[in-house]
């Protein structure tokens, strides 16, 4: 079997993540409606019904949700009802406790946004250092840019004057040609 391309995996993950997130919303709604005497299977059935009603399709990725619900990254997203946490410890709570007590092997990676922000801060710090250590060079560059712009402005002004002169000359020739033909 051929290896999947990165784009294909990202596209599939996007679909899974979207549908599972929607199902989590349905599951939260079902959990909030849970009455005494209903077990987890009843809540799951109600969540599936809510999902079907809201999105017009059956939720077919329950196996994905079961895998993802216990992953460190998804614990905050999927969460559990606080009343259930008081009554019993489920697998996700036990995982959170084990990871908070020094189990650093499963530590969550830094997010892409946090990493980009860190790199951006490093780059701006380097730029600040470079510019603060060389203010004379910066001033010279600014003066050079100012001179270039000044020359550019002068050339544009001369070009405008030349065009205006040519337009007047063309208009004069047009008027003289009309007088000759009349």
């Amino acid at each position: 079997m051929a290896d999947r391309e990165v784009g294909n995996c990202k596209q599939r993950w996007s679909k899974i993540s979207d549908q599972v997130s929607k199902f989590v919303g349905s599951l939260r709604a079902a959990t909030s409606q849970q009455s005494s005497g209903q077990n987890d299977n009843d809540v799951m059935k109600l969540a599936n019904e809510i999902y079907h009603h809201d999105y017009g399709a059956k939720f077919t990725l329950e196996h994905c949700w079961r895998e993802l619900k216990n992953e460190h990254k998804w614990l905050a997203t999927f969460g559990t009802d606080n009343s259930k946490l008081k009554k019993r410890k489920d697998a996700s709570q036990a995982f959170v406790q084990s990871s908070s007590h020094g189990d650093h092997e499963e530590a969550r990676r830094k997010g892409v946004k946090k990493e980009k922000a860190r790199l951006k801060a490093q780059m701006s710090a380097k730029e600040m250092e470079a510019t603060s250590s060389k203010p004379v060079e910066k001033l010279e560059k600014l003066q050079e840019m100012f001179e270039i712009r000044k020359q550019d402005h002068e050339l544009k002004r001369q070009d405008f004057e030349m065009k205006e002169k040519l337009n007047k000359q063309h208009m004069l020739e047009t008027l003289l040609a009309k007088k000759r033909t009349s």
Side-chain angles (χ1 to χ4, degrees):
M1 184 153 112
D3 289 339
R4 291 185 176 138
E5 296 290 325
V6 173
N8 296 346
C9 293
K10 283 184 178 181
Q11 186 178 15
R12 180 65 180 149
W13 170 247
S14 175
K15 289 178 183 178
I16 290 171
S17 178
D18 181 51
Q19 289 181 18
V20 169
S21 295
K22 289 177 181 177
F23 177 73
V24 168
S26 300
L27 184 62
R28 283 190 178 143
T31 304
S32 68
Q33 296 175 13
Q34 183 179 11
S35 62
S36 178
Q38 285 185 323
N39 60 20
D40 290 340
N41 290 336
D42 296 331
V43 174
M44 286 297 287
K45 285 179 184 176
L46 182 58
N48 280 310
E49 289 174 14
I50 291 172
Y51 183 90
H52 182 68
H53 178 266
D54 289 349
Y55 303 106
K58 287 186 175 181
F59 179 64
T60 58
L61 299 174
E62 191 171 326
H63 60 287
C64 294
W65 173 78
R66 290 190 187 283
E67 286 292 321
L68 292 173
K69 73 176 183 172
N70 294 323
E71 290 297 318
H72 187 71
K73 177 179 178 179
W74 294 91
L75 287 176
T77 305
F78 295 149
T80 54
D81 187 16
N82 289 335
S83 62
K84 283 188 173 184
L85 289 178
K86 292 177 186 174
K87 295 177 185 175
R88 68 172 199 251
K89 290 182 181 180
D90 63 357
S92 62
Q93 185 186 15
F95 178 80
V96 170
Q97 286 179 346
S98 70
S99 64
S100 65
H101 291 305
D103 185 11
H104 296 290
E105 291 180 29
E106 303 249 1
R108 184 174 172 190
R109 285 184 25 205
K110 286 184 180 177
V112 173
K113 289 182 182 179
K114 282 187 179 180
E115 188 63 22
K116 282 184 179 179
R118 185 185 65 79
L119 290 173
K120 189 175 182 180
Q122 282 181 346
M123 291 299 291
S124 63
K126 287 180 183 178
E127 288 173 6
M128 291 287 287
E129 184 180 300
T131 57
S132 66
S133 65
K134 303 173 185 176
V136 175
E137 289 179 21
K138 188 174 181 179
L139 182 62
E140 289 173 354
K141 285 183 180 181
L142 286 173
Q143 287 174 340
E144 186 179 322
M145 287 175 50
F146 177 73
E147 287 298 320
I148 291 171
R149 285 192 176 189
K150 193 174 176 182
Q151 290 173 358
D152 185 51
H153 179 70
E154 181 61 29
L155 288 173
K156 285 182 180 179
R157 187 187 62 76
Q158 289 174 359
D159 186 45
F160 178 76
E161 287 175 355
M162 185 63 80
K163 286 180 181 178
E164 193 173 307
K165 200 177 209 182
L166 287 173
N167 280 341
K168 286 180 181 178
Q169 196 173 21
H170 179 69
M171 195 182 308
L172 182 62
E173 289 174 0
T174 307
L175 289 172
L176 289 175
K178 283 184 180 179
K179 284 185 180 179
R180 289 182 190 156
T181 57
S182 315

